[in-house]
Amino acid sequence: MPFPKSVTKVKKNGVEFTSNVDRAKYTIQELTRAALKDTAKLIRRRILDKARKMRGMGKTKRIPNAFQYWVRRREGDLQIGVKHDTWYGADQELGTNNQPARHIIRDTVYENIDQIRIIQGQYLEAIEDENRARGLIDEEEEIGDEDN
């Protein structure tokens, strides 16, 4: 969705109404999405570090491809997880009868709550400054499984 017109002007009975609602709504949605993307990159990096340090996991190159994030534009949310049918799979995260749960994703998120709040706060703070906000917004859809 492209950046909307800056204002909507309506004249009624000699009075001109100017509305920036569409522009403000767009800016808030895109800043929220950008904040989620940066949060996801941080969490994914920390998950990969933790997974590489675990016994038996550090010797494979498949780890980076197992963990992924999805910043969904329509739903306005973030999902971090394990790709379907990867070597790691949900069995490692949640556990099975033969294997204890490792909770790598859950624990990594809990351990980084303060950093997540800092990232989110930087974006929300930018709402007041339109130029800064536009500089933070990346309008590309993203599925993250790259090492950034």
Side-chain angles (χ1 to χ4, degrees):
M1 173 177 162
F3 199 73
K5 291 181 181 179
S6 60
V7 293
T8 303
K9 293 182 180 182
V10 178
K11 288 185 179 182
K12 186 174 182 181
N13 298 331
V15 177
E16 184 176 291
F17 297 95
T18 304
S19 172
N20 289 326
V21 173
D22 290 339
R23 186 164 139 183
K25 182 179 175 184
Y26 170 85
T27 302
I28 290 169
Q29 287 173 338
E30 291 303 307
L31 282 172
T32 301
R33 194 172 142 288
L36 290 174
K37 187 167 66 170
D38 276 1
T39 299
K41 287 178 181 181
L42 168 81
I43 296 302
R44 184 172 179 275
R45 258 186 266 123
R46 302 274 168 91
I47 288 170
L48 292 175
D49 291 344
K50 188 179 281 194
R52 286 182 182 118
K53 290 177 184 174
M54 296 184 89
R55 187 182 64 165
M57 290 187 178
K59 297 176 183 174
T60 181
K61 293 182 181 181
R62 293 181 289 180
I63 290 173
N65 294 328
F67 298 99
Q68 193 172 38
Y69 63 86
W70 301 266
V71 178
R72 301 187 313 172
R73 184 181 298 270
R74 189 175 351 166
E75 292 83 356
D77 66 358
L78 167 66
Q79 295 182 347
I80 300 174
V82 182
K83 285 184 182 178
H84 181 67
D85 289 336
T86 59
W87 69 274
Y88 177 84
D91 294 346
Q92 294 270 336
E93 182 69 18
L94 304 174
T96 65
N97 291 339
N98 300 326
Q99 174 173 292
R102 295 188 186 201
H103 301 298
I104 295 173
I105 298 170
R106 184 191 70 180
D107 291 348
T108 303
V109 171
Y110 287 160
E111 292 164 6
N112 290 284
I113 292 293
D114 290 338
Q115 190 63 35
I116 292 169
R117 286 184 178 138
I118 290 169
I119 292 170
Q120 298 285 318
Q122 289 171 345
Y123 281 90
L124 295 175
E125 183 179 85
I127 289 171
E128 296 176 8
D129 181 356
E130 182 180 341
N131 287 331
R132 184 167 167 236
R134 290 189 78 180
L136 292 171
I137 294 171
D138 176 12
E139 296 184 359
E140 296 296 316
E141 195 68 29
E142 180 156 342
I143 296 176
D145 61 356
E146 73 289 336
D147 284 324
N148 287 343

